[in-house]
Amino acid sequence: MKNIVILISGGGSNMAAIVRAAQQQDWERRLGARVAAVVSNKADAKGLEWARTQGIATEVLDHKAFGSREAFDTALAALIDRYDPALVVLAGFMRILSPGFVAHYAGRLTNIHPSLLPAFTGLHTHQRALDAGCKVAGATVHLVTAELDVGPILDQAVVPVLPGDTAETLAARVLTQEHLVYPRALAQWLEATALKDHVASPPGV
Ligand code: NHR
Ligand code: GAR
């Protein structure tokens, strides 16, 4: 079984969309994958409680309890590795990860970023898209590399920017598309790795 560990910091609506997709599309049977744990750097992240109602293990690791970014990342990796993850998913996780952490999960660490990358890396993406006069906005699912928001793009979703939009109305429109594109991109990643595993060691050979 391929274990998926999801990292959140807040509402967790992308995490919930992934968990629901896994349930509805029977990822266990079809893709040999399951959401094994949800991890938050904030104890009050709303998504944690919902994950518990779904019978998913939850963990909290408060970054403020650590003296450095590296110390937090080392502890975070140790906690995640207890679940033997095939895939680590950032879903509204708000801490930049150090190069050592990223290298440890190279090729199996994904993020969803609320802009059409390579435009608007970093924070406050919706206000910056409005300020730039963009006519479309969206979200990008990408593999995480040491450099922020520049890893290989797995999939994107586009929405229109409408007259009168604020950062809040635009964020809400983008978020509904994030809930579709992220589960779809992960299912494709899982299918592709299943195929690679099969070619590398076909059953019965
Ligand atoms: N880490 C690496 N190495 N590479 C990426 O592409 C990453 C990453 C960690 C998180 C998500 C992210 C985004 O989609 C992400 C991508 C937080 C910040 C940030 O500045 C920036 C980007 C992203 C997440 N965080 C502040 C920090 O000091 C804290 C902000 C806060 O706590 O509210 O870590 O854009
Ligand atoms: C999402 O819009 C996600 O793209 C964004 O935060 C929101 C989290 O919502 N991520 C970032 O801004 C990363 N810097 P959620 O917790 O409800 O999934």
Side-chain angles (χ1 to χ4, degrees), residues 30-158:
R30 287 188 37 251
L31 301 167
R34 64 172 192 131
V35 178
V38 173
V39 180
S40 173
N41 64 311
K42 295 197 172 168
D44 60 356
K46 284 198 201 76
L48 287 174
E49 211 165 312
W50 184 85
R52 282 183 210 116
T53 68
Q54 304 302 302
I56 298 170
T58 61
E59 306 273 3
V60 174
L61 194 69
D62 183 354
H63 62 274
K64 293 195 289 299
F66 294 84
S68 71
R69 206 175 274 277
E70 284 69 27
F72 170 69
D73 285 4
T74 301
L76 182 61
L79 192 158
I80 292 170
D81 284 348
R82 295 217 306 267
Y83 293 93
D84 185 27
L87 179 60
V88 178
V89 173
L90 307 183
F93 184 71
M94 294 310 290
R95 301 299 303 172
I96 295 174
L97 297 161
S98 50
F101 182 98
V102 173
H104 183 65
Y105 299 108
R108 56 189 172 117
L109 178 61
T110 64
N111 178 43
I112 188 155
H113 180 74
S115 80
L116 293 173
L117 292 174
F120 309 122
T121 61
L123 302 178
H124 313 299
T125 53
H126 303 298
Q127 189 59 53
R128 288 158 64 207
L130 291 174
D131 292 347
C134 294
K135 300 301 176 195
V136 295
T140 303
V141 180
H142 66 97
L143 289 176
V144 173
T145 58
E147 201 183 334
L148 195 63
D149 297 331
V150 305
I153 292 172
L154 298 178
D155 207 347
Q156 290 183 308
V158 181

Side-chain angles (χ1 to χ4, degrees), residues 194-205:
L195 198 60
K196 267 184 239 154
D197 292 350
H198 184 86
V199 170
S201 49
V205 176

